[in-house]
Amino acid sequence: MTQLMTEDGIRCDGRRLDELRNISIKVGVLKNADGSAYIEFGKNKILAGVFGPRDVHPKHMANPDSGILRCRYHMSPFSVTERKNPAPSRREIEISKVIKEALQPAVILKDYPRTVIDVFIEVLQADGGSRCAALDAAAVALADAGIPMRDLVSACAAGKVADRIVLDVNNEEDQEGQADMPVALMPNIGKVTLLQLDGMLKPEEFKTCMQTALVGCKRVYEVQRKALMEKYFQNGEQ
C-alpha cells in the first residue's frame, strides 16, 4: 500500500487537496486528420484525431436527419506497466461509449445529415484519469476540425482519498482510494454531460466532490481555450 496522504494533507505526488496535475495541450499535431490534439495531463499522454464530416459506411447506418458521432478510445500496448493486449477490452469499449455520450450534447450534428464524424483517441501513456484527459483532447480536436459546437467539453475527476475529498485523482489514488468521480462540463452553458462514481460517498461528500470536480473542469477549460487561441490567434490574443 502506498501512503496516499500525510496528516498535513499532502498527497503521494506532492500535491495539495485542490491542486491539479500539470496540463499541456497542443492543437493540430496530426497532418492527415481534419482536427487533432495532444494532451499531457499529469503522466497521461493522449492523442486525439477527428475525421469528418464524411460519408457513412456502410450506408444503411446513415441518419437522414442528423450526423452521427463515433468515438474510439484505445490504449496502446505500451501505455501501461504490463503489456496490454492490443485488442479492444471491455473497459475501452465502455469508455468509448462514455466519451461519445459526453461529447454528443456539445456537437451540432443536425447540420450534417447522412454523415459521420469519427473521433479516434490513442492513449500512449496512462496514469489515472485517462478518460477525462481523453475527453479534453477529443473536445479540442473537434474544435480544431471546425465542427460546430454549442460549447467545449471540459472533464476532470475528483475523489475521496484517506477520508478527504481531492481534485484530479492520480493512478495510485484511483487504485487504492475510496471513491473516484469523473465529471464533464460544458463550461459556458453550465451543463454537465458526464457524471460517474466508482466507490461510496455520503450525501454531503457527494456534493463536495461534485463541486470540486466542477472547479477542476473550469480550470481545464482555460487550458483548452488557451491552446486553441495560441493556434488560431497570434500570441493567444483575439
Side-chain angles (χ1 to χ4, degrees), residues 87-201:
S89 65
R90 289 177 66 181
R91 179 178 175 274
E92 287 168 297
I93 293 165
E94 180 241 334
I95 293 178
S96 298
K97 182 175 182 289
V98 163
I99 290 174
K100 174 191 164 182
E101 290 175 355
L103 290 171
Q104 212 154 1
V107 182
I108 304 172
L109 292 167
K110 288 195 174 181
D111 287 0
Y112 298 102
R114 298 184 182 279
T115 65
V116 63
I117 297 164
D118 283 310
V119 181
F120 295 97
I121 298 158
E122 193 71 25
V123 179
L124 306 176
Q125 183 170 291
D127 179 46
S130 65
R131 79 182 61 196
C132 288
L135 192 41
D136 295 327
V140 172
L142 282 164
D144 183 42
I147 307 294
M149 298 169 75
R150 295 175 180 89
D151 198 355
L152 269 177
V153 178
S154 306
C156 188
K160 184 180 176 183
V161 176
D163 295 322
R164 299 188 191 183
I165 301 300
V166 301
L167 177 63
D168 184 18
V169 176
N170 67 25
N171 193 49
E172 290 80 7
E173 294 167 338
D174 185 20
Q175 300 293 326
E176 299 176 22
Q178 294 150 289
D180 176 32
M181 181 191 283
V183 175
L185 174 73
M186 290 195 282
N188 296 304
I189 298 173
K191 288 190 176 178
V192 172
T193 65
L194 166 67
L195 172 59
Q196 292 182 293
L197 175 60
D198 180 17
M200 300 283 284
L201 293 173

Side-chain angles (χ1 to χ4, degrees), residues 26-39 46-52 54 69-74 99 103 117-123 134-145 147:
K26 291 181 183 175
V27 185
V29 292
L30 298 175
K31 185 182 76 169
N32 295 330
D34 294 311
S36 59
Y38 170 73
I39 188 168
I46 299 171
L47 203 53
V50 171
F51 295 83
R54 58 187 180 181
L69 182 66
R70 294 190 299 209
C71 295
R72 192 202 74 154
Y73 167 98
H74 180 254
I99 290 174
L103 290 171
I117 297 164
D118 283 310
V119 181
F120 295 97
I121 298 158
E122 193 71 25
V123 179
L135 192 41
D136 295 327
V140 172
L142 282 164
D144 183 42
I147 307 294

